[in-house]
Amino acid sequence: MAETLPDLRPYLYIEALYQRRPARLAFRATSLTEWQLWHARLTATLLDLLGGFDDPVCDLAPRVLERNELDGYVREKVLYWTRPETPVPAWLLLPGDLQPGERRPALICLHGHGRGKDEIVGIAEDGTQRSEPGEYQKDFAIQAVRRGYVVLAPEQYGFGERREPEDIQQSARKSSCRKLSLAALLLGRTVCGIRVWDVMRAVDYLERRPEVDATRIGCLGISGGGTITLFATALDPRIKAALVSGYLNSFHDSIMAISHCEDNYIPGILQYAEMADVACLIAPRPLFVEGGTEDHIFPVEATRAAVAQVRRAYELLGVPERLGCEIFEGKHEFCGRQGFPFLDRWLREQ
């Protein structure tokens, strides 16, 4: 009779590492002084873990490539430089009722995995304009401009027009995340950090647009766009409010436990912080979190637990009303039902 072997699953060791190495910089502050010290330490650590932001600060050198009047808004294709090597194409959406000299609140809209920036401004794969919101991202950039925001929808690093030629040849949805992520790690960088820097430069760009009130710039994104919304808002205080859709969870229950794109992995982060701790860095600025009950890559119970942890920071700072959450009936998809009114409250009505 063969001897019964012990459990040979290799993941047991990874799980044990997680359980016996509590995050060194988890949010545990009980006073404003403790919060300030913790905030400074985790911010500095996070900057280092993402690979640092020591690239040369080049001239944005922005230009408008095209301009089209659509149903209730104007869409410009713009190009600006976030690094000397790589320009960023983006869609800029302007409300149709914008008056000369008027300044409006602005939203940076960050797409998730898929075809890139086109997917959130209603452009179908064949280049035509959709008449109805499509796919899991629900054309949320169009939703935003129709609420009166100036909207910037940049192409995220590794998607759409910002892909390697071999990936462009394969299909419209084939990203360059794997190649870019693994190569960046060899150089001590992360794709997450590269994308966060792009958002910081997007804020620079919006601050210079005459249509934008630079004191009221927000950020929202879903899935991979939610990732960058979370990290960019945590690290750039110029972002005054954020909506994170289909992302805030825990590394343990999502990124560790479920196979994800390589761009989700930040070496060493769990030695210092969980996702909720990163979100706590955003306090006291307004933050809204949404997730679907049937989201199988960011499990809903972990989202609820993360929001409960983040709420402690907002309560400590005396601003619990600046944290919002909606768990909606749905899949891994954008909702915005309560999220957009939340952004309106803090960016348009204040």
Side-chain angles (χ1 to χ4, degrees), residues 20 99 140 143 171 176 203 220 228 253 291 318:
R20 69 173 179 247
Q99 300 300 308
F140 67 85
Q143 294 188 52
S171 79
S176 294
V203 175
L220 73 155
I228 307 307
D253 293 305

Side-chain angles (χ1 to χ4, degrees), residues 28-73:
R28 302 185 184 93
T30 58
S31 69
L32 181 58
T33 299
E34 288 181 358
W35 179 83
Q36 291 171 332
L37 291 171
W38 164 83
H39 194 281
R41 290 182 65 197
L42 183 54
T43 298
T45 300
L46 194 57
L47 288 168
D48 185 55
L49 291 170
L50 290 174
F53 299 143
D54 59 356
D55 290 318
V57 180
C58 64
D59 186 349
L60 288 167
R63 54 196 175 107
V64 177
L65 303 179
E66 65 179 69
R67 180 181 174 91
N68 296 287
E69 293 191 11
L70 299 172
D71 182 16
Y73 62 96

Side-chain angles (χ1 to χ4, degrees), residues 41 58 95 197 200 215 296:
R41 290 182 65 197
C58 64
W197 176 255
M200 292 177 171
T215 67
H296 298 302

Side-chain angles (χ1 to χ4, degrees), residues 201-341:
R201 299 303 327 264
V203 175
D204 292 340
Y205 173 72
L206 285 174
E207 286 180 332
R208 301 179 190 187
R209 290 285 309 207
E211 307 91 344
V212 173
D213 179 346
T215 67
R216 294 188 289 169
I217 295 175
C219 189
L220 73 155
I222 180 169
S223 194
T227 307
I228 307 307
T229 296
L230 181 74
F231 281 88
T233 306
L235 294 173
D236 193 334
R238 296 175 300 170
I239 299 173
K240 302 304 183 185
L243 192 171
V244 175
S245 178
Y247 178 70
L248 185 64
N249 205 261
S250 74
F251 290 111
H252 176 264
D253 293 305
S254 181
I255 308 303
M256 266 181 65
I258 300 164
S259 181
H260 279 267
C261 176
E262 294 82 2
D263 62 1
N264 282 282
Y265 299 87
I266 301 167
I269 193 167
L270 283 175
Q271 297 180 77
Y272 301 96
E274 254 289 1
M275 271 191 211
D277 302 311
V278 176
C280 287
L281 290 174
I282 296 173
R285 288 168 291 149
L287 169 64
F288 193 90
V289 177
E290 66 173 27
T293 54
E294 302 302 318
D295 190 331
H296 298 302
I297 56 176
F298 293 99
V300 65
E301 290 307 317
T303 294
R304 288 192 174 103
V307 171
Q309 293 177 56
V310 177
R311 186 169 289 115
R312 292 175 41 244
Y314 281 82
E315 290 173 346
L316 174 67
L317 298 177
V319 288
E321 72 281 4
R322 295 186 184 180
L323 177 66
C325 178
E326 180 181 13
I327 302 299
F328 59 88
E329 295 291 329
K331 304 177 294 183
H332 183 65
E333 59 188 338
F334 183 82
C335 178
R337 180 174 53 204
Q338 295 180 24
F340 270 127

